[in-house]
């Protein structure tokens, strides 16, 4: 099996795509987002077009204006997947991971440096496996409900007088 390597995207292109995906998902215009970020439309347009270097302040302002996950936007750039920003816009997955990291840092402090890679990898894999299992359960419940509604509709008498 041959693997196709994708051309690496520029960070600014990934950021631009992520911002557009989130803004459009929220059905917001560029002007409304610019106003929410308290900046001129022209400045916002350069930001959304990827015409500036990665600006964390702008990303956090954008996330506040669009009620999305600022940490997912940054991670979307880091992993080269603008879709990640959209996928986490509502559930704030990457913000939750970041909060967990902040709390872990506060609890363990310098002892973090002494942790070996193996238990870290196992813990991270276990967490993602648990989230994957939860997603499977949610999808199964949705399918069950949809099938039940279909079954009910088939046995319901035709409406009439």
């Amino acid at each position: 099996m041959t693997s196709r390597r994708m051309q690496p995207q520029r960070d600014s292109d990934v950021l631009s795509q992520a911002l557009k995906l989130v803004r459009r998902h929220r059905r917001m215009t560029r002007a409304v987002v610019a106003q929410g970020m308290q900046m001129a439309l022209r400045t916002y347009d350069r930001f959304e077009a990827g015409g500036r270097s990665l600006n964390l302040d702008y990303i956090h302002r954008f996330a506040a204006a669009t009620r999305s996950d600022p940490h997912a936007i940054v991670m979307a750039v880091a992993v080269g997947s603008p879709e990640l920003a959209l996928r986490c816009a509502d559930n704030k997955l990457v913000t939750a991971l970041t909060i967990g990291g902040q709390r872990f840092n506060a609890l363990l402090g310098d002892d973090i440096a002494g942790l070996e890679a193996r238990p870290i990898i196992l813990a991270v894999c276990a967490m993602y496996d648990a989230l994957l299992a939860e997603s499977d359960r949610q999808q199964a419940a949705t399918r069950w409900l949809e099938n039940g509604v279909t079954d009910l509709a088939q046995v319901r008498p035709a409406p009439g007088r």
Side-chain angles (χ1 to χ4, degrees):
M1 172 161 139
T2 12
S3 70
R4 285 190 352 212
R5 287 190 169 243
M6 294 176 53
Q7 282 291 81
Q9 295 182 338
R10 292 183 357 203
D11 289 352
S12 59
D13 293 338
V14 176
L15 177 62
S16 176
Q17 292 171 24
L19 298 173
K20 288 174 186 173
L21 284 171
V22 171
R23 178 179 57 77
R24 290 173 181 155
H25 173 70
R26 295 289 190 237
R27 293 181 170 90
M28 297 173 79
T29 65
R30 295 178 348 272
V32 168
V33 176
Q35 182 180 11
M37 291 177 66
Q38 299 178 350
M39 67 173 47
L41 178 58
R42 190 176 203 141
T43 305
Y44 174 77
D45 283 340
R46 277 194 303 275
F47 169 60
E48 185 180 273
R52 306 183 138 233
S53 59
L54 201 65
N55 182 320
L56 291 179
D57 177 54
Y58 281 12
I59 290 171
H60 281 271
R61 288 165 63 183
F62 173 86
T66 59
R67 300 171 330 280
S68 59
D69 186 338
H71 301 95
I73 295 169
V74 173
M75 186 176 281
V77 173
V79 302
S81 173
E83 297 82 9
L84 180 65
L86 176 60
R87 292 172 182 144
C88 298
D90 293 325
N91 66 18
K92 313 291 191 283
L93 171 68
V94 183
T95 289
L97 295 172
T98 305
I99 291 167
Q102 178 187 41
R103 291 181 177 174
F104 189 69
N105 180 57
L107 288 170
L108 229 54
D110 291 341
D111 290 341
I112 291 174
L115 292 173
E116 294 189 19
R118 183 178 180 278
I120 295 169
I121 292 166
L122 290 173
V124 169
C125 289
M127 177 194 64
Y128 283 117
D129 287 347
L131 290 173
L132 182 59
E134 179 57 29
S135 175
D136 289 346
R137 285 190 292 275
Q138 287 178 6
Q139 289 176 21
T142 299
R143 282 191 305 275
W144 180 87
L145 186 59
E146 289 169 353
N147 291 338
V149 167
T150 300
D151 292 346
L152 286 174
Q154 289 174 353
V155 298
R156 184 178 180 278
R161 295 183 183 236

